[in-house]
């Protein structure tokens, strides 16, 4: 099946090629099945045979199978092996632990371990606050999941969640120098998760909850925030809301509309959808309508099992309309997707108000693909790195935790989140802003530093900072 290829789905075909076979035969077979050749390398060459590695971008698994079959049918070609670049990058996992102090001799050992270590233990026993200077606590964050809402893949369990959590830990380190590691829990029980996180908290300077499904995620976070004295932050709620608001602040400048006048439609009222709705209400949006696959448009008068839907009905949908997502989208200025793949169509987009803004943020497959939506929208964004305007919580969590850890904040509060959103939005200058550039790149090295600075200022102002970092008065 032909489709849009993606840099994130790349296979390497190792081929034995007889001398009589012209390379164009292979190139044609790849092209005709919708693949794109990214690189060609020679592995070995003899009189009778050349072995080459052909790196090809494909669109999906079906496309991959079709392409391999087509190439293997060419007379004089043997497919030796097919490897997947993404899988290769996961071999052995993506993280390891390094020690900061060399242990070369007995003397070193006697300081970092028995007997010297005992004196440090007793100093901490007398004053546990010294953990911030004498242990890894001040720079270490736990990435905690139960594997119930992994990206848009749903409840795939704690083991299958590992690659995402290792990825988050890598991003903490690479972007903000924060040490973190994945804690994937084999329980979905709210009380058990709360108890486990509280029990492991002594090691950590902060807790990043990740991919825990709603509505359990709301209670887990609320309770941990109340019962722990370190920042607890559910990334899918607040990281997403911060980045979405940053993107919307800039997108509205392009279309010349105000927060207070727009109608925003949400697909997905889970962790991310609810937090983004709360963020927009705080930013002055008055007309929000939310819909989910299970209950359609959430409205007053209906009885919902999910307590968050009751809250949502009270705080949205001013005209109390009923129906499906497709009904909700009529006349909307902004669509925000935090649900699942391909839930809206071009027909839905055609019903939107002038200059539609579409944030299709479900991962890995958005609510509508940019190449399908683009002719009908003014500003398009997704959560992915292979399209312009990547609205992904990675723009927030490294910087917001960097700031919180550096001032030893007891919490990450509303003021800090709002400050982070405006900080991210401000990185795109007025002269740079355009439909394809509403949000800075994840690789823009000003993001983490700008967010950190604004978050520390907000933490100090709102009274949650326990330490004033250098350069802040
Ligand atoms: N871009 C980002 O930074 C970012 C951040 C967080 C979440 N997300 C994406 O948002 C989505 C929801 O995440 P969450 O943490 O809120 O999960 P969640 O489990 O808390 O909520 C999921 C919500 O989406 C709805 N939904 C799920 N699949 C659907 C489908 N196929 N069609 C219609 N509705 C569907 C559910 O009914 C529910 O309301 C995921 O796809 C996730 O990848 C993106
Ligand atoms: O992991 C991501 O890419 C973003 C977000 O946390 C998600 O769950 O989709
Ligand atoms: Mg997530």
């Amino acid at each position: 099946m032909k489709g849009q290829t993606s840099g994130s789905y790349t296979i390497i075909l190792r081929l034995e090629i007889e001398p009589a076979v012209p390379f164009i035969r292979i190139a044609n077979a790849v092209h005709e099945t919708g693949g794109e050749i990214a690189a060609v390398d020679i592995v070995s060459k003899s009189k009778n045979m050349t072995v080459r590695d052909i790196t090809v971008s494909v669109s999906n698994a079906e496309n991959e199978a079709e392409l391999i079959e087509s190439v293997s049918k060419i007379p004089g070609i043997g497919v030796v092996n097919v490897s997947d670049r993404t899988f290769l990058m996961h071999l052995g996992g993506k993280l390891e632990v390094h020690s900061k102090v060399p242990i070369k001799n007995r003397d070193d050992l006697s300081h970092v371990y028995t007997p010297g270590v005992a004196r440090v233990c007793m100093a901490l026993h007398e004053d546990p606050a010294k953990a911030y200077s004498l242990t890894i606590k001040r720079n270490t964050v736990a990435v905690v999941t139960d594997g119930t809402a992994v990206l848009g893949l749903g409840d795939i369990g704690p083991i299958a969640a590992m690659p995402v959590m290792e990825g988050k830990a890598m991003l903490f380190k690479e972007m903000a120098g924060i040490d973190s590691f994945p804690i994937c829990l084999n329980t979905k029980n709210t009380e058990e998760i709360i108890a486990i996180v509280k029990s492991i908290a002594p090691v950590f300077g902060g807790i990043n909850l990740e991919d825990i499904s709603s509505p359990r995620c709301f209670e887990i976070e609320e309770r941990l925030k109340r019962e722990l004295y370190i920042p607890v932050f559910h990334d899918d709620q607040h990281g997403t809301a911060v980045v979405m608001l940053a993107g919307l602040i800039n997108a509205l400048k392009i279309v010349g509309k105000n927060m207070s006048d727009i109608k925003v439609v949400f697909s997905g009222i889970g962790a991310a959808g609810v937090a983004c709705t709360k963020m927009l209400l705080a930013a002055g949006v008055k007309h929000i309508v939310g819909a989910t696959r299970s209950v359609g448009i959430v409205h007053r008068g209906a009885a919902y099992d999910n307590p968050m839907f009751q809250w949502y009905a009270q705080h949205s949908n001013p005209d109390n309309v009923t129906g499906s997502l497709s009904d909700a989208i009529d006349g909307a200025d902004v669509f925000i997707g935090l649900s699942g793949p391909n839930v809206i169509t071009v027909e839905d987009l055609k019903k939107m108000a002038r200059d539609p803004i579409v944030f299709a943020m479900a991962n890995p497959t958005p609510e509508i693909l940019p190449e399908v939506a683009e002719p009908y929208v003014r500003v398009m964004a997704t959560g992915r790195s292979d399209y312009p305007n990547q609205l992904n919580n990675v723009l927030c969590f490294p910087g917001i935790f960097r700031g919180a850890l550096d001032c030893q904040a007891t919490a990450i509060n509303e003021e800090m989140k709002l400050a982070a959103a405006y900080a991210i939005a401000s990185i795109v200058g007025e002269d740079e802003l355009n439909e394809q550039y509403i949000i800075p790149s994840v690789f823009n090295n000003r993001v983490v530093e700008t967010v950190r600075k604004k978050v520390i200022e907000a933490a100090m102002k709102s009274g949650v900072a326990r330490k004033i970092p250098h350069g802040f008065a």
Side-chain angles (χ1 to χ4, degrees), residues 245-310:
L245 179 60
L248 193 58
I249 289 167
N250 283 342
L252 288 180
K253 289 181 198 159
I254 292 175
V255 300
K257 297 182 187 179
N258 293 319
M259 290 281 180
S260 54
D261 303 328
I262 54 173
K263 173 181 170 185
V264 181
V265 169
F266 276 88
S267 167
I269 308 182
V274 168
C276 288
T277 298
K278 288 181 177 169
M279 194 75 157
L280 288 188
L281 290 172
V285 177
K286 297 194 170 66
H287 194 162
I288 296 177
V289 180
T292 74
R293 186 175 39 180
S294 52
V295 299
I297 297 176
V298 175
H299 59 280
R300 290 175 296 290
Y304 299 111
D305 292 339
N306 183 335
M308 196 43 86
F309 288 6
Q310 298 292 358

Side-chain angles (χ1 to χ4, degrees), residues 149-152 164 168 210-211 235-236 240 361-363 383 392-393:
V150 182
L151 311 176
V164 171
K168 297 274 174 189
E210 190 66 47
D211 292 354
D235 180 39
D236 296 285
T240 313
M361 295 170 72
N363 288 316
N392 190 294
N393 45 31

